[in-house]
Amino acid sequence: LNGKGMEKVTIQFEQIFKHALPAIQSKRDEFRLYGYPTVTNEEIWKYCIRKKWRKKNVSTMRIHEIVNGVLALTPAEFMTYTQIEEQRESNWFSDLNSDELQLLLSPKSK
């Protein structure tokens, strides 16, 4: 997950993040117990903001709604989201120039 977008999300909801941090840390620790040692507090927060609450106004949510949302997060939900995001962000053909890409994508002539 890229740090630049995360910085904006964290700053935008910094006070809410601080209030929810104990729940986020607890969820991070739970993920580590389940074998996901690299998940960070910020990644969990980013998931909640961008996926779980994407249709909500987070700044008007009550703290118990936020804590409940964080604690209800499952490793499967989180990992599916992060895998999809990584696929969206990766450009598999970035090292190819336009001629190489055209050759790769054009059908073979017999």
Side-chain angles (χ1 to χ4, degrees):
L1 302 170
N2 78 26
K4 192 174 184 181
M6 182 61 235
E7 196 173 298
K8 187 175 183 180
V9 170
T10 302
I11 291 169
Q12 185 179 3
F13 301 110
E14 187 174 356
Q15 283 301 103
I16 301 168
F17 177 80
K18 286 179 183 178
H19 288 298
L21 192 55
I24 295 167
Q25 290 171 329
S26 175
K27 184 55 63 173
R28 183 205 60 213
D29 293 345
E30 179 185 328
F31 278 20
R32 289 182 176 168
L33 285 174
Y34 284 119
Y36 300 101
T38 61
V39 176
T40 66
N41 294 333
E42 290 78 12
E43 289 171 328
I44 292 170
W45 183 244
K46 179 180 173 182
Y47 168 84
C48 290
I49 298 292
R50 293 191 176 168
K51 177 70 175 165
K52 195 170 199 77
W53 305 318
R54 72 181 177 276
K55 295 182 180 179
K56 295 186 177 192
N57 182 350
V58 176
S59 61
T60 62
M61 289 175 67
R62 296 181 183 264
I63 192 66
H64 73 272
E65 293 175 287
I66 291 169
V67 168
N68 187 50
V70 169
L71 295 178
L73 176 60
T74 67
E77 288 174 309
F78 180 80
M79 296 313 291
T80 299
Y81 169 79
T82 56
Q83 289 170 351
I84 290 170
E85 286 301 303
E86 285 175 8
Q87 288 175 356
R88 283 184 186 161
E89 291 175 5
S90 68
N91 183 355
W92 296 350
F93 303 111
S94 62
D95 292 339
L96 300 177
N97 66 35
S98 61
D99 292 336
E100 292 169 324
L101 187 57
Q102 185 62 38
L103 182 62
L104 179 66
L105 298 176
S106 60
K108 290 185 178 181
S109 56
K110 293 183 177 185

